[in-house]
Amino acid sequence: MNIIKKHPVNKLGYNFVEEKYIPEGKDEYYLRNSQNTGNTVYRKLTSQEIEVLVHNRNTSDNWDLIFVSSFFNAELVKNCKFYGLVRIGNLQPLYLEFHNLRMPVGLYNSTIISCDFGDNICIDNVNYLSHYIIGNEVMIANVNEIAATEKAKFGNGIITEGEEEDTRVWMELCNENGGRKVLPFDGMLPGDAYLWSKYRTDEILLDKFKEFTLQKFDSRRGYYGKIGDRTVIKNCRILKDVLIGTDAYLKGANKLKNLTINSDAERTSQIGEGCEMVNGIVGYGCRIFYGVKAVRFVMASHSQLKYGARLLNSYLGNNSTISCCEVLNSLIFPAHEQHHNNSFLCASLLMGQSNMAAGATIGSNHNSRSPDGEIIAGRGFWPGLCVSLKHNSKFASFIILAKGDFPAELNIPIPFSLVSNDVARDTLVIMPGYWFMYNMYALERNAWKYADRDRRTDKIQQLEYDYLAPDTINELFDALKLLNTLEPNEEGIAETSGFENTSRATEIIKVPQAVTLFAELIRYYGTMQLLHHFVNNKFSSFDALKKTLSAKIQRSQWLNIGGQLMQQGEVEALKRNIKSGKIKSWEEVHAYYINQGENYLKDKLYHAYTSLLEILSITPRQFTADFFIDLLQKAVETKSWMCKEIYESRAKDYSNPFRKMVYDTREEMNKVVGSLEDNSFIQQQTGKLDEFKKQVKSVIKKLKS
């Protein structure tokens, strides 16, 4: 039976906060007054204004509790019901226009309970507007309900005074059984979510993370909802306990409940038709359109959900897009792409720059007796069409999976590999270095694309988009160690085990080519970092360069913390500082990220130098000017080869007869897909190669002098 309580009508709009939760000497409006930061001086209505309001079919339980500014125009308030304390700013005879929505300034045809309004707002046909503070020039039309409750948390993982612990909202990342759950909070970065979900055996650290979250927010009851300046809300149904920034645009949403929607003039957020979002945080500059469902989530800044996408118990990193498909219990680092209705992602950690094709099913817990499996994938994870994976599986960086149903758990530690399930021969096939051999265009273009599309204005975490970086270089070293233990046949194929949870053998193909390639890539990475260091610091001699290089010869280990690469030792120091109390808040954790970002180029340089010494088996003493000149010349050869592969991997699309057969002429093909010669990215890369050759020539001249 529905329990419907009866109260005197003259109590409507009052007693928002239970008396026992109001501090001594305060009233129920004390938090509301602290939230309303405007400078408006309010006054009571004049008798003439009350007469106009009554004439315009407005009602109030107590006209003495309606306060207005000095430039209030009573003629612009019509057919409204007021309950409780209401404060209204300036109303002028104007109309506001946004995207062809034109509304006269004023309050019309609405029920308003205990709200504050800024200047020149447009409110029309809001059936129930309760306990909100609304900014200047806000436009709201045709909304069923906008209300805040006394226990509003606005999507943050807190509880208010007197609430039971089991009402707290957790976000169950990476694992369906909740074993890696974290508390969502406004301002949560990918690195925060990763650290909290990863180090589950460190109880002190986990307690500190919870403490940091709770101290960010006030547990007192009675906070009002807020709608920031210039926000537009039209044709929506229910907004409950939603905190909305400035310049947001909400149109046609079905239900928005317990949310923070961050938005400002430079980073506007939008939510569109048919969307339903509950218990979450929407970052700055987000776009959510067309039937999206999101529950227990965080969307980092400039991420998108579109076309019926479902995001549940998941963190979506910055600059990511999910369309149509379903994502459950996952932690996704920045720059993720997932565009197709029939792809599915479950209980996974994707560490950035990932792309899921149509039909991909990443994570099936049906091979376990409990839904507690996980998938971990390094940067650049790319499961192809109709790929099906089983928990648990783990992948190194830049793994591409060919179309197929992979029958068992996988552990692929070799980066830049193509992984295939050869059904006819019942064999798992791994091709190390595939990207460089056959798809250099996509590899290089993606690195450029992700950096170019990074829309963040507040870059607390420095994201690494280059495919050759400390994390992937260390993986290349590990892969070389593994590949050098194999005994390939004359065709370069070696059989091994341990890559798949089956008794069948795994084939690794092109082993000699991969060994040569990986060593060349490490050498190229080291040389390029030294070259950048030489040029950026305008050194005039090799000795000047050598003096700035670290005496360390031990290659450092690195971790991907939410898309930001950090030395393992620095991550351990961060954890120690948190547990010891040296770092006392999420803001100080974020300051640590910033500090690490400022040191990244230096740390990366030292890593590159030690990697170079290791791959060449030389000491710092043996690293001479002549040696460096030789490395620079080899780097030009590698860069030239890469540029050639970029062109040729794209040129295959123009020479493939099955691609060409849908066009009657080459001219028709060029009109439809663009000519190869006019490809702007290839032209850009060719230009960069020419600049690089000139730069190397200039540096070599200085080294010789």
Side-chain angles (χ1 to χ4, degrees), residues 404-635:
D405 182 2
F406 291 85
E409 302 92 325
L410 297 173
N411 181 18
I412 311 297
I414 305 175
F416 304 105
S417 294
L418 170 66
V419 181
S420 309
N421 181 36
D422 189 331
V423 177
R425 297 190 300 121
D426 191 27
T427 304
L428 182 70
V429 181
I430 300 173
M431 183 193 299
Y434 161 82
W435 287 99
F436 297 95
M437 298 176 187
Y438 297 101
N439 207 358
M440 192 70 214
Y441 178 89
L443 185 64
E444 189 70 49
R445 187 178 181 278
N446 285 342
W448 166 81
K449 177 183 73 175
Y450 293 132
D452 183 65
R453 296 180 183 177
D454 189 346
R455 296 289 182 260
R456 296 175 303 148
T457 57
D458 194 7
K459 298 183 179 181
I460 295 173
Q461 289 202 266
Q462 179 171 322
L463 305 179
E464 176 61 88
Y465 296 118
D466 199 327
Y467 50 84
L468 295 180
D471 59 337
T472 55
I473 293 299
N474 284 351
E475 288 179 333
L476 288 175
F477 271 109
D478 293 340
L480 280 174
K481 186 176 180 180
L482 187 154
L483 293 173
N484 282 323
T485 65
L486 303 178
E487 297 181 0
N489 60 23
E490 293 180 355
E491 296 176 338
I493 301 173
E495 287 197 354
T496 186
S497 60
F499 291 80
E500 181 184 48
N501 188 22
T502 64
S503 58
R504 67 179 183 174
T506 298
E507 275 189 1
I508 302 182
I509 64 175
K510 298 185 180 292
V511 173
Q513 295 97 316
V515 169
T516 301
L517 171 63
F518 286 1
E520 181 179 357
L521 292 173
I522 295 170
R523 186 181 70 231
Y524 175 75
Y525 159 78
T527 305
M528 292 296 287
Q529 294 305 314
L530 289 173
L531 174 63
H532 295 329
H533 181 57
F534 189 98
V535 172
N536 292 340
N537 289 279
K538 299 179 181 178
F539 294 130
S540 58
S541 67
F542 180 78
D543 287 342
L545 167 69
K546 192 75 177 285
K547 288 176 183 177
T548 64
L549 299 179
S550 171
K552 297 177 182 178
I553 59 172
Q554 184 68 39
R555 174 169 50 90
S556 55
Q557 297 302 308
W558 290 68
L559 298 173
N560 184 342
I561 307 297
Q564 179 175 4
L565 302 185
M566 296 186 195
Q567 294 182 90
Q568 185 173 351
E570 299 296 342
V571 176
E572 293 301 321
L574 170 61
K575 291 159 58 182
R576 286 195 304 272
N577 291 341
I578 291 171
K579 291 190 291 183
S580 69
K582 187 175 181 179
I583 289 178
K584 300 179 176 65
S585 66
W586 282 119
E587 287 73 21
E588 292 184 14
V589 172
H590 296 174
Y592 192 91
Y593 296 157
I594 293 171
N595 180 258
Q596 289 300 304
E598 291 170 348
N599 293 332
Y600 179 60
L601 287 180
K602 179 188 70 176
D603 295 337
K604 185 178 181 181
L605 172 68
Y606 293 161
H607 177 268
Y609 180 51
T610 54
S611 297
L612 194 60
L613 298 178
E614 183 176 347
I615 197 64
L616 297 173
S617 299
I618 62 172
T619 66
R621 185 183 294 272
Q622 292 172 292
F623 182 63
T624 63
D626 289 339
F627 208 110
F628 189 32
I629 290 171
D630 182 59
L631 289 173
L632 289 171
Q633 292 169 338
K634 289 179 178 177

Side-chain angles (χ1 to χ4, degrees), residues 295-330:
V295 180
R296 299 192 181 215
F297 67 95
V298 172
M299 292 178 65
S301 65
H302 305 283
S303 55
Q304 300 185 66
L305 292 176
K306 299 187 292 187
Y307 309 125
R310 296 174 295 287
L311 183 73
L312 312 177
N313 265 310
S314 296
Y315 185 105
L316 181 62
N318 312 81
N319 307 307
S320 297
T321 299
I322 294 178
S323 300
C324 310
C325 54
E326 184 171 5
V327 176
L328 311 176
N329 303 92
S330 292

Side-chain angles (χ1 to χ4, degrees), residues 76-142:
L76 304 182
V77 181
K78 297 179 180 179
N79 199 29
C80 291
K81 300 174 184 177
F82 295 98
Y83 299 92
L85 174 64
V86 176
R87 296 183 286 212
I88 306 171
N90 300 337
L91 296 180
Q92 297 173 280
L94 305 167
Y95 79 85
L96 305 184
E97 180 178 0
F98 179 81
H99 288 189
N100 294 320
L101 174 67
R102 299 178 179 91
M103 295 180 65
V105 164
L107 292 88
Y108 307 96
N109 310 307
S110 300
T111 298
I112 296 164
I113 301 171
S114 195
C115 291
D116 291 347
F117 297 94
D119 296 337
N120 291 326
I121 45 85
C122 303
I123 308 292
D124 192 1
N125 196 30
V126 180
N127 295 338
Y128 187 82
L129 176 54
S130 172
H131 297 93
Y132 258 80
I133 298 170
I134 296 172
N136 302 316
E137 298 180 3
V138 169
M139 303 171 68
I140 306 177
N142 305 325

